[in-house]
Amino acid sequence: MDYFVHESSYIDEGAVIGKGTKIWHFCHIQSGASIGENCSLGQNVNVAGGAVIGNRCKLQNNVSVYDGVVLEDGVFCGPSCVFTNDLTPRAEYPKGKENYKKTLVKRGASIGANATIVCGHTVGEYALVAAGAVVTQDVPDHALVAGVPAVVIGRVDEYGNITEMNKNAH
């Protein structure tokens, strides 16, 4: 095993985990999940069987990555950020995973604490989603988005520096 797993975590048979990845307390990596190299998964992270996580990603505490969610290389997920995969869920009438909406978070993007990414959307390369934002549409590359629903309020560079702010942004 060329990755670290804390003794309180569960890795199901059939999960793929890359070299140098660290999986901390109380995590569950389900069969079929794919996690790249040199990632860090904080406490209480769940990765579903149909989820894909690229290399050098950092998932803070309490993040669940569900079937249909793809995180490209270098993605940051802040504490308790939320992904979804069903726009109209029903406990009594499940649609099955073949009907889940796909979500793509492109290379280098960051999602702030407690932000929600509604399924079926793409978060662009190096985009920055503010804490608490609710993403209900695609986010362009290098965009800074905030609010409920999230709107573009500026632009950021690859390092996360704000390079432009919209005149009407608070």
Side-chain angles (χ1 to χ4, degrees):
M1 191 164 76
D2 51 0
Y3 54 87
F4 170 81
V5 178
H6 188 270
E7 63 186 22
S8 64
S9 291
Y10 291 95
I11 310 298
D12 292 347
E13 188 174 326
V16 175
I17 301 169
K19 180 174 134 186
T21 287
K22 293 180 174 74
I23 299 171
W24 295 101
H25 301 74
F26 312 117
C27 293
H28 183 194
I29 313 304
Q30 297 177 26
S31 181
S34 176
I35 301 172
E37 296 182 354
N38 300 309
C39 293
S40 177
L41 280 63
Q43 180 175 297
N44 197 40
V45 169
N46 178 67
V47 182
V52 176
I53 298 173
N55 298 318
R56 300 173 314 283
C57 291
K58 185 170 186 178
L59 284 65
Q60 298 284 52
N61 297 352
N62 304 311
V63 174
S64 291
V65 183
Y66 297 113
D67 287 331
V69 176
V70 174
L71 308 180
E72 291 185 348
D73 294 347
V75 168
F76 175 88
C77 295
S80 301
C81 78
V82 175
F83 294 97
T84 67
N85 61 10
D86 188 341
L87 288 173
T88 56
R90 292 286 189 251
E92 293 181 328
Y93 304 102
K95 296 177 205 68
K97 65 171 85 177
E98 64 276 357
N99 293 304
Y100 290 162
K101 302 288 182 192
K102 306 295 184 197
T103 298
L104 174 62
V105 181
K106 289 189 171 184
R107 180 174 188 231
S110 292
I111 301 169
N114 293 304
T116 299
I117 310 300
V118 176
C119 59
H121 301 291
T122 296
V123 176
E125 285 191 1
Y126 298 101
L128 181 57
V129 177
V134 178
V135 171
T136 60
Q137 58 189 343
D138 289 351
V139 175
D141 294 349
H142 294 274
L144 169 60
V145 299
V148 179
V151 295
V152 177
I153 63 168
R155 293 187 52 78
V156 293
D157 65 17
E158 290 179 15
Y159 300 97
N161 299 309
I162 297 171
T163 58
E164 178 184 321
M165 286 295 286
N166 294 354
K167 291 178 187 172
N168 297 329
H170 320 284

